[in-house]
Amino acid sequence: MFSCLTRGVAPDDPCRRYCGLKNQGATCHLNTVLQALYMTPEFRQGLLKLQPGELPPTGKAVCTVFAKMAHGNRTVSTKPLTSALRPVYVCTRQQDCHDTWLMLCDRLESDLKQTPLAKLVAQLFEGRQSDYVKCHKCATVTNTQDTFSNLSLAVPEEEEGAST
């Protein structure tokens, strides 16, 4: 299975200047997700290969933002995307990047089902993990494979009095 996780994250052109995204109030989390997706060439180029008529509203709005990011020299508005994501996404409500990532990927997967990019999000951002349990009495091993699209990591709290 192809994954964008198998390559480095360096930009396509190290001499290229990049532009930012305008904040519409509480859209810093959306802007962060969009910038990460834009810097994933397989995702960006995959979307931009389709003709505008082949793209559903969410995909078309992401392409519009990406095209302006690629060719502009000023900050780019995300209003086409926030409009396409209504009523699920409200740019005045505080969210975090993880919630925004899940919402955007879910919307894109749903919208791209009828296009040649139906599996784009899954191919790039899903993985498989294998969980196994071994019985200490009879040595029977049970193996379960699960698909994941995000990983949760427990971050231990800093101990009191510990210096960093």
Side-chain angles (χ1 to χ4, degrees):
M1 175 183 272
F2 175 77
S3 171
C4 65
L5 301 176
T6 60
R7 62 150 179 83
V9 294
D12 295 342
D13 179 0
C15 297
R16 167 119 169 69
R17 292 190 56 181
Y18 296 98
C19 61
L21 299 169
K22 289 181 185 174
N23 192 328
Q24 294 182 56
T27 60
C28 54
H29 51 278
L30 176 65
N31 293 357
T32 301
V33 170
L34 285 172
Q35 288 171 341
L37 288 172
Y38 180 81
M39 294 304 291
T40 306
E42 298 86 352
F43 181 82
R44 182 182 68 243
Q45 292 164 2
L47 275 184
L48 294 174
K49 281 182 188 175
L50 289 181
Q51 297 299 317
E54 294 179 280
L55 285 167
T58 305
K60 192 179 295 188
V62 170
C63 282
T64 298
V65 172
F66 283 0
K68 288 180 180 178
M69 288 173 74
H71 302 294
N73 56 3
R74 305 181 114 175
T75 56
V76 174
S77 173
T78 57
K79 284 184 181 181
L81 181 58
T82 56
S83 295
L85 292 173
R86 283 190 188 115
V88 175
Y89 179 81
V90 180
C91 63
T92 57
R93 185 176 70 213
Q94 189 64 39
Q95 296 180 25
D96 65 19
C97 289
H98 183 253
D99 292 335
T100 302
W101 167 258
L102 294 175
M103 179 274 305
L104 185 58
C105 284
D106 184 54
R107 177 65 73 91
L108 284 168
E109 277 186 310
S110 176
D111 284 0
L112 294 173
K113 279 184 181 177
Q114 304 304 318
T115 73
L117 299 177
K119 304 260 185 225
L120 179 69
V121 173
Q123 286 175 331
L124 293 176
F125 303 114
E126 284 186 358
R128 295 190 58 78
Q129 71 180 23
S130 184
D131 295 316
Y132 73 94
V133 177
K134 181 177 181 180
C135 177
H136 291 291
K137 289 185 179 181
C138 68
T140 301
V141 175
T142 304
N143 189 12
T144 306
Q145 289 211 348
D146 295 313
T147 300
F148 66 89
S149 59
N150 61 78
L151 297 173
S152 296
L153 301 174
V155 178
E157 291 186 35
E158 186 177 325
E159 292 181 29
E160 279 188 45
S163 62
T164 54

